[in-house]
Amino acid sequence: MTERYVLDLQEVDETQVAVVGGKGAHLGGLSRIEGIRVPAGFCVTTDAFRRVMAQAPSLDDRLDQLSRLNPDDREAIRTLSAQIRRTIEGIAIADDLTGAITRALARLGEQAAYAVRSSATAEDLPTASFAGQQDTYLNVVGPTAILQHVSRCWASLFTERAVTYRQRNGIDHRTVHMAVVVQRMVFPHASGILFTADPVTGNRKVATVDAGFGLGEALVSGLVNPDVFTVRHGEVVAKAIAAKQRAVHALPTGGTQEVAIDSRRQEQPALTDAQVVRLVQLGRRIEAHFGRPQDIEWCLVDDGFQIVQSRPVTTLFPIPETGDQENHVYVSVGHQQMMTDPMKPLGLSMWQLTAMVPMHTAGGRLFVDVTRRLASPASRAGLLDVMGRGDPLVRDALETVLDRDDFVPSLPGAGPGGPPTGGASATIETDPAIVTELIERSQVSIAALERDIRTKTGPALFDFLLEAFEEHKRVLSDPLSMQAIMAGMEATWWLNDTLQEWLGEKNAADTLTLSAPDNVTSEMGLALLDVADVIRPHSEVVAFLQGVEDEGYLDELAKLAGGTEARDAVEAYLDRFGVRCVGEIDITRPRWRERPTTLVPVLLDNVRNFEPGAAERRFEQGRQKAQRKEQDVLSRLRALPDGDRKAGEAKRMIDRVRTFIGYREYPKYGIVSRYFVYKQALLEEAERLVQAGVLPEKEDIFYLTFQELHDVVRSHQADDRLIQQRKDAFRSYHALTPPRVLTSDGEAVTGAYRREDVPAGALIGLPVSAGTIEGRARVILDIAEADLEAGDILVTTFTDPSWSPLFVAVAGLVTEVGGLMTHGAVIAREYGLPAVVGVERATRLIRDGQRIRVHGTDGYVEILP
């Protein structure tokens, strides 16, 4: 029996996390790698921990109490976790357990010094590092002291910090167990940390070494600044040597002590360059063994390195898999589609199957490989131009990569061309009938899809869908549709560039596009104001909606006075716009039609904040403002030299922009309308799989790719383990920030605005809708949490079309992601809202409720005192 309580480090490996915890499992794995030295030791297993916990029945009630506490109730967590720790430390360790530990000590040297280290089962995992959550005790001497510190390690599972971390991450306290690693103490000349990838940029080809004298505690606790070495391709390429005034050393009697370092040694490097390179070689061997970048704690003893810890670096963004060794440059699709959240596997694969260019996945996001287009001088300029107009940070990041020596090889001659950057719209007349025809074509195609899909089930449905995806792409790539979109965008660019040159006026097109016709996204915001008009007179309906939580509320409405009209108005709105939702490029996200409660807070804001007839008034005011702007611009142009020609050209471009700019939003509406049809058919198929006992629940299909789901439908067999792994991975992707540009070395290249024309302390972004507005910032990350007052400024990460109902209620807009022609920018201009997009970390730097000033013409935000 006793062997279950103690295992030698040599007996365990990384598959045994449940037995010896994350740290113990990693150390066991490390000790098996050829050429890697790990201090000798043993693990007190989780069986021992469970046995001790079972000896105190009162712990059960306390764990129940703990799980019910709010993670923000720090006082209650502090009190209760301290009681639990005291109880655990007070439990007498049973004789057979004591015997097993002391026998293991006798084998290694009873009076030697040891490090006693906690090793939890939810620590150093690929998805959550829990680094520093539990305790380590150094230089512990003698069996009595070691047993006492083993108890302390068990208790450290319930430090206030560890408890709060688990509660915030939704981890049940009872599912985490504590093992303890007892290792021979090493007394190093120097120690520190090695990252086998650059922890800041993510570059996998760069390793960084932090080093200091004595024990590593001095670095970890922040007592001293380390020497920092950067290594690339086997050589030290940069180093910063710190003045190391203090170190932590072990005392002969046990414990540790801070000591001052002799002034002559303070400026000396803790490692030579040759030692640093040798250490990184060891790190690469460890990384190869574990299959991912590692964060490694090391000690230098007599010119030899010993490894005391290795854990995965969990904050790095994964790299798309290519299967080759070439250099690649990837651009984020999410930043262009206004959706930087992770997508589920079905969502990723459906977007890939219906997209116009090949896309790669990494970290639950989509990327386009632009290496060949950057490599060819023929397509490079066009690509940079299009990217720069969309998001200057992407362009700057791409130029940063191009500036590097030989990362992107230069191809001779013409490469595959980028999207049209000019001339594509020359063949298209300024004729509103073109837009009408394009919208009709789309509607006819979607009606045919709805009709033809009804009879398809099983494998036949998947064959049908693969054909439907081809039609989907044909509609998207319709040359006339592309020309109409480009015509609107190019006319906008022409007006902004030319009117700035001729009249010295910035972003004139922003006012000229107010209330442009045929914009399905801005109509969606105005139409919800009309629904509010139907509801507003019926106080019973308004009161009922304030308490709505159930998705079936529309059926309940009919029982109230005025409820039938209210229900019909909401239903009519959902018939037209219910295919939309936040993050709509991910087919797995619940649509408004599936979750109509999402709209209730916005609807109630509209009831409260607006007068009847607001939609029509808003649209008409915008139209008149645009008209007045047009007259003003044309009369000023006529007064210039060669004025009639200039005014004539400007008038042609104004007509062109008003004809085509609204259509810019329609193709996306067409895509999500088709998506809703695909989704309903796939969910019916999922329902049949549930009925047949193949899947436990319908939503499990979201964690399979389209092809995998096709296979499940054919074979009637599903891999439950795969689905669970995908769910865990999807959860972990939320913690990752997707980069705008990513290289095959894993480097996240952020890009910068490089502007001098903004006040100190202002947050820089891209000006997309002119005007200046001051007001209260509302930082809203979820549309369902919206609670807006007139004059508020919306601050959020990104907005896709589903956010436009909020735009009618706010006075300005700030987003972290976006470009000149992305949805938020287009709708902000339509509604005349000053807007700045692409403001890095806006939702973290601006606090909810702060007063801010948005400079929509110049592209920056000031936080006001």
Side-chain angles (χ1 to χ4, degrees):
M1 272 304 277
T2 54
E3 285 313 303
R4 293 177 53 213
Y5 296 134
V6 171
L7 290 171
D8 193 86
L9 269 183
Q10 300 282 341
E11 296 177 72
V12 300
D13 64 22
E14 56 270 31
T15 62
Q16 289 164 279
V17 171
V19 183
V20 293
K23 190 176 289 151
H26 269 84
L27 284 167
L30 279 168
S31 64
R32 294 166 174 234
I33 305 172
E34 198 181 331
I36 302 296
R37 291 165 60 200
V38 174
F42 59 88
C43 300
V44 181
T45 66
T46 51
D47 283 342
F49 172 76
R50 274 192 286 267
R51 175 157 170 198
V52 165
M53 292 290 278
Q55 280 174 250
S58 66
L59 283 171
D60 249 9
D61 295 342
R62 288 189 171 148
L63 287 181
D64 282 341
Q65 281 174 272
L66 197 58
S67 60
R68 287 196 293 270
L69 291 178
N70 183 322
D72 295 322
D73 189 350
R74 294 182 57 178
E75 196 51 50
I77 288 175
R78 187 176 300 135
T79 308
L80 193 52
S81 57
Q83 287 172 2
I84 293 171
R85 286 198 305 280
R86 275 199 301 277
T87 305
I88 294 171
E89 286 184 40
I91 296 169
I93 302 177
D95 290 350
D96 56 341
L97 185 45
T98 304
I101 293 170
T102 49
R103 277 196 299 280
L105 284 172
R107 287 198 297 275
L108 291 174
E110 203 164 87
Q111 287 310 310
Y114 289 87
V116 183
R117 314 170 72 191
S118 52
S119 176
T121 55
E123 164 179 72
D124 295 352
L125 305 179
T127 53
S129 83
F130 284 74
Q133 295 295 322
Q134 278 86 39
D135 293 348
T136 287
Y137 301 98
L138 298 177
N139 204 32
V140 184
V141 180
T144 309
I146 285 168
L147 286 166
Q148 184 189 2
H149 285 88
V150 166
S151 283
R152 282 191 186 167
C153 282
W154 288 332
S156 77
L157 191 60
F158 297 98
T159 61
E160 182 191 343
R161 187 173 52 178
V163 166
T164 306
Y165 186 93
R166 287 196 294 272
Q167 283 182 291
R168 289 197 192 288
N169 286 277
I171 296 165
D172 180 353
H173 301 298
R174 290 170 196 280
T175 61
V176 185
H177 300 118
M178 181 65 86
V180 182
V181 177
V182 180
Q183 262 178 306
R184 280 289 295 255
M185 201 49 205
V186 287
F187 301 103
H189 162 74
S191 57
I193 310 225
L194 155 65
F195 286 100
T196 64
D198 186 319
V200 179
T201 68
N203 194 326
R204 311 305 201 263
K205 297 273 174 71
V206 171
T208 62
V209 175
D210 289 8
F213 293 123
L215 291 167
E217 293 309 289
L219 300 189
V220 176
S221 63
L223 181 65
V224 296
N225 289 327
D227 296 341
V228 181
F229 301 86
T230 305
V231 177
R232 188 185 183 111
H233 300 314
E235 62 175 316
V236 175
V237 292
K239 58 183 166 185
I241 307 304
K244 298 168 288 294
Q245 290 165 347
R246 309 191 75 67
V248 173
H249 283 265
L251 290 168
T253 52
T256 59
Q257 177 188 30
E258 258 183 57
V259 293
I261 293 175
D262 182 325
S263 59
R264 284 167 306 204
R265 280 185 66 215
Q266 287 180 7
E267 304 280 346
Q268 275 182 1
L271 296 178
T272 65
D273 284 11
Q275 287 171 327
V276 170
V277 169
R278 203 166 82 229
L279 174 61
V280 170
Q281 284 167 347
L282 295 176
R284 292 279 174 233
R285 200 175 292 176
I286 293 168
E287 178 182 67
H289 174 84
F290 289 119
R292 55 191 304 164
Q294 298 287 303
D295 159 3
I296 298 166
E297 290 176 30
W298 55 269
C299 293
L300 177 68
V301 187
D302 303 328
D303 201 40
F305 287 104
Q306 299 216 22
I307 305 298
V308 293
Q309 169 93 308
S310 184
R311 60 167 82 88
V313 185
T314 56
T315 53
L316 299 176
F317 200 86
I319 308 169
E321 286 175 20
T322 54
D324 64 33
Q325 295 303 305
E326 305 294 310
N327 287 349
H328 294 271
V329 182
Y330 302 98
V331 171
S332 159
V333 173
H335 285 81
Q336 294 162 341
Q337 289 295 337
M338 298 302 92
M339 174 28 200
T340 53
D341 290 348
M343 293 166 71
K344 297 192 180 94
L346 185 65
L348 292 166
S349 68
M350 293 287 277
W351 193 262
Q352 284 174 300
L353 286 164
T354 52
M356 305 308 298
V357 291
M359 291 184 179
H360 304 263
T361 64
R365 276 77 167 192
L366 291 163
F367 293 87
V368 173
D369 186 342
V370 295
T371 321
R372 284 189 66 78
R373 301 213 337 240
L374 280 179
S376 160
S379 54
R380 183 186 305 144
L383 176 73
L384 290 173
D385 185 47
V386 167
M387 291 291 169
R389 287 193 184 276
D391 183 340
L393 292 176
V394 172
R395 178 181 180 136
D396 188 75
L398 290 174
E399 287 174 335
T400 303
V401 175
L402 284 169
D403 287 343
R404 305 240 167 99
D405 298 342
D406 302 332
F407 189 82
V408 178
S410 210
L411 294 177
T421 54
S425 54
T427 52
I428 187 172
E429 291 297 310
T430 302
D431 180 1
I434 292 173
V435 173
T436 310
E437 184 195 334
L438 284 168
I439 290 172
E440 268 172 27
R441 278 189 206 177
S442 176
Q443 287 170 339
V444 167
S445 174
I446 291 165
L449 172 67
E450 287 173 327
R451 183 186 67 236
D452 297 343
I453 205 169
R454 281 190 196 124
T455 55
K456 307 290 188 287
T457 61
L461 169 67
F462 288 81
D463 297 337
F464 171 81
L465 281 172
L466 286 170
E467 285 176 33
F469 298 161
E470 292 311 306
E471 165 68 2
H472 180 124
K473 289 197 270 195
R474 191 194 63 71
V475 171
L476 265 189
S477 59
D478 178 339
L480 188 64
S481 176
M482 303 291 258
Q483 287 174 334
I485 292 168
M486 286 311 294
M489 296 203 311
E490 286 172 352
T492 307
W493 298 335
W494 186 94
L495 284 167
N496 279 338
D497 294 348
T498 312
L499 295 180
Q500 180 154 10
E501 188 189 324
W502 288 347
L503 298 174
E505 186 169 337
K506 284 185 188 173
N507 301 356
D510 295 359
T511 312
L512 294 166
T513 51
L514 285 170
S515 300
D518 299 312
N519 187 322
V520 68
T521 310
S522 57
E523 286 166 15
M524 177 166 76
L526 296 173
L528 202 62
L529 288 174
D530 290 335
V531 177
D533 285 355
V534 175
I535 289 168
R536 196 177 289 104
H538 305 295
S539 54
E540 237 182 291
V541 172
V542 174
F544 169 76
L545 288 175
Q546 280 162 345
V548 156
E549 283 174 13
D550 178 24
E551 297 303 342
Y553 73 91
L554 290 171
D555 298 333
E556 298 293 308
L557 274 176
K559 301 171 189 168
L560 307 172
T564 309
E565 293 160 67
R567 184 195 61 198
D568 292 350
V570 175
E571 285 285 0
Y573 185 85
L574 289 172
D575 286 343
R576 189 159 176 221
F577 299 114
V579 297
R580 311 220 85 150
C581 67
V582 172
E584 62 193 8
I585 70 169
D586 182 351
I587 198 169
T588 71
R589 291 283 194 106
R591 312 283 135 174
W592 290 343
R593 175 47 90 189
E594 297 169 293
R595 201 174 282 175
T597 50
T598 312
L599 289 171
V600 171
V602 192
L603 204 44
L604 288 169
D605 280 349
N606 286 352
V607 167
R608 191 177 70 237
N609 292 335
F610 291 93
E611 298 293 315
E616 201 177 328
R617 268 198 311 282
R618 285 287 293 265
F619 189 79
E620 189 50 34
Q621 282 163 357
R623 205 180 59 75
Q624 288 179 11
K625 201 170 171 188
Q627 219 170 2
R628 286 196 297 275
K629 183 70 177 175
E630 178 181 330
Q631 288 161 355
D632 167 56
V633 163
L634 296 178
S635 68
R636 280 157 65 201
L637 286 174
R638 285 192 197 99
L640 297 175
D642 199 14
D644 285 350
R645 179 188 65 80
K646 287 176 176 164
E649 277 185 53
K651 171 67 175 151
R652 275 197 300 282
M653 284 299 177
I654 291 168
D655 290 348
R656 200 162 176 75
V657 89
R658 290 197 69 79
T659 300
F660 292 117
I661 203 67
Y663 177 71
R664 162 86 181 75
E665 290 292 299
Y666 201 86
K668 184 84 173 271
Y669 176 70
I671 292 172
V672 296
S673 299
R674 301 179 91 84
Y675 262 25
F676 192 56
V677 181
Y678 306 152
K679 184 179 189 179
Q680 286 173 303
L682 290 172
L683 281 173
E684 281 172 26
E685 208 53 52
E687 187 58 58
R688 285 189 275 276
L689 292 171
V690 171
Q691 298 294 330
V694 179
L695 290 174
E697 47 192 51
K698 278 196 311 190
E699 276 75 23
D700 284 350
I701 68 165
F702 296 161
Y703 297 94
L704 299 170
T705 66
F706 181 80
Q707 188 53 56
E708 288 165 348
L709 179 53
H710 191 177
D711 295 342
V712 169
V713 167
R714 258 205 304 261
S715 66
H716 260 225
Q717 285 181 310
D719 183 342
D720 298 339
R721 270 213 333 270
L722 174 71
I723 290 171
Q724 190 51 53
Q725 279 169 357
R726 295 274 178 78
K727 287 180 178 177
D728 293 343
F730 177 70
R731 259 200 308 277
S732 75
Y733 294 152
H734 282 278
L736 299 173
T737 303
R740 283 177 164 81
V741 170
L742 179 67
T743 73
S744 46
D745 286 352
E747 184 179 2
V749 193
T750 46
Y753 283 108
R754 308 189 195 284
R755 283 172 42 196
E756 306 294 322
D757 58 338
V758 294
L763 310 180
I764 303 176
L766 182 65
V768 295
S769 185
T772 302
I773 191 76
E774 202 174 292
R776 177 179 72 154
R778 292 312 317 269
V779 180
I780 297 174
L781 302 178
D782 178 352
I783 193 169
E785 309 288 305
D787 178 17
L788 296 163
E789 302 286 342
D792 282 349
I793 296 168
L794 173 62
V795 180
T796 189
T797 42
F798 58 79
T799 62
D800 57 13
S802 69
W803 285 75
S804 53
L806 289 189
F807 283 26
V808 297
V810 297
L813 172 71
V814 179
T815 67
E816 293 182 349
V817 176
L820 260 179
M821 285 296 163
T822 46
H823 306 277
V826 172
I827 306 307
R829 289 194 290 271
E830 285 260 317
Y831 288 167
L833 303 178
V836 180
V837 301
V839 179
E840 288 279 85
R841 299 176 53 238
T843 59
R844 279 167 281 183
L845 296 171
I846 299 170
R847 286 198 313 278
D848 187 52
Q850 270 185 321
R851 286 195 70 74
I852 61 172
R853 188 181 296 130
V854 177
H855 295 262
T857 310
D858 295 312
Y860 62 92
V861 180
E862 288 179 284
I863 298 173
L864 302 175

